Amino acid sequence: MSTKPAAAPRWRRKSTVVLGTVLLGAAAFGTTTQTWLDVVLPQAAVETPDIAVSGSDAATAVTAFAVVALAAALAASIAGKVARWVIAAVLLIAGVGITAASVSVIADPAQGAAGAVGKAIGVSNSAGADITLTAMPYLAAAAGVLIALAAVWLAVAARTWAVSRRYAAQPATGAAVKEKSTQPPIDEIDSWDRLTKGEDPTNFR
């Protein structure tokens, strides 16, 4: 009596790993669309002293690394055994990059706000400005750490995934090989003559 093989734990399943990693990448990218820094400039510096600096302006690297993480996570669903290791390495780099860029803004908010301040008053010097961090850079840093951990998760879980053979070349059957070998050669003149007569030049029967 045959028994079915035991199902893989949920945490090892390809769908779980891919979906979880995609959500982490999307979360990191989503933070960049929100306000990271609230800047209040001196009243004399500009008519509208309040500036909301988004994550895409404060840390452009986070946006780029988040897109890389999303693409890598999606690619993992169709990748082969060797490619999965490469994807895991890419995810690790993306996660570390997101965390590093986020921590950089947290450590030096003035540098993160420099670009937006420069657009507002013409100089990037934010001296005298009141800069307040929102929760977004902290969330981005946390997402980066989780993406790096997801790289390890992928490397461990992917060892049990089956390799997709959907696009593998199928060997020709004996009958197909024999039929192909018995077809007579055809040149361009013969093909043209058959075509002008309204016949199929590839039909030898």
Side-chain angles (χ1 to χ4, degrees):
M1 181 177 179
S2 61
T3 58
K4 294 182 178 179
R10 183 176 295 274
W11 70 272
R12 282 182 175 267
R13 296 177 187 174
K14 182 186 296 186
S15 58
T16 303
V17 176
V18 172
L19 179 59
T21 309
V22 166
L23 290 177
L24 290 174
F29 182 84
T31 63
T32 66
T33 66
Q34 305 301 312
T35 299
W36 279 34
L37 302 168
D38 287 318
V39 182
V40 179
L41 297 172
Q43 293 290 334
V46 65
E47 293 181 359
T48 306
D50 297 339
I51 302 175
V53 184
S54 67
S56 57
D57 291 329
T60 56
V62 173
T63 303
F65 280 124
V67 172
V68 170
L70 280 169
L74 293 173
S77 63
I78 59 173
K81 290 183 177 180
V82 176
R84 289 167 191 162
W85 286 100
V86 176
I87 290 172
V90 170
L91 282 173
L92 180 61
I93 293 171
V96 171
I98 290 171
T99 302
S102 303
V103 170
S104 178
V105 173
I106 294 171
D108 189 2
Q111 183 62 34
V117 172
K119 292 178 182 178
I121 63 177
V123 295
S124 59
N125 187 2
S126 57
D130 183 15
I131 305 175
T132 304
L133 285 165
T134 68
M136 292 298 110
Y138 295 98
L139 292 177
V145 172
L146 292 176
I147 289 172
L149 292 176
V152 180
W153 180 23
L154 171 64
V156 173
R159 292 184 299 177
T160 61
W161 296 352
V163 178
S164 176
R165 301 184 182 276
R166 178 178 301 178
Y167 302 107
Q170 296 295 330
T173 61
V177 173
K178 182 178 180 180
E179 180 180 356
K180 184 177 180 180
S181 63
T182 56
Q183 290 180 352
I186 183 169
D187 58 27
E188 296 181 358
I189 296 177
D190 291 337
S191 297
W192 180 255
D193 290 341
R194 286 176 174 270
L195 190 61
T196 55
K197 294 177 182 180
E199 299 177 358
D200 183 0
T202 63
N203 186 6
F204 299 99
R205 298 179 180 180

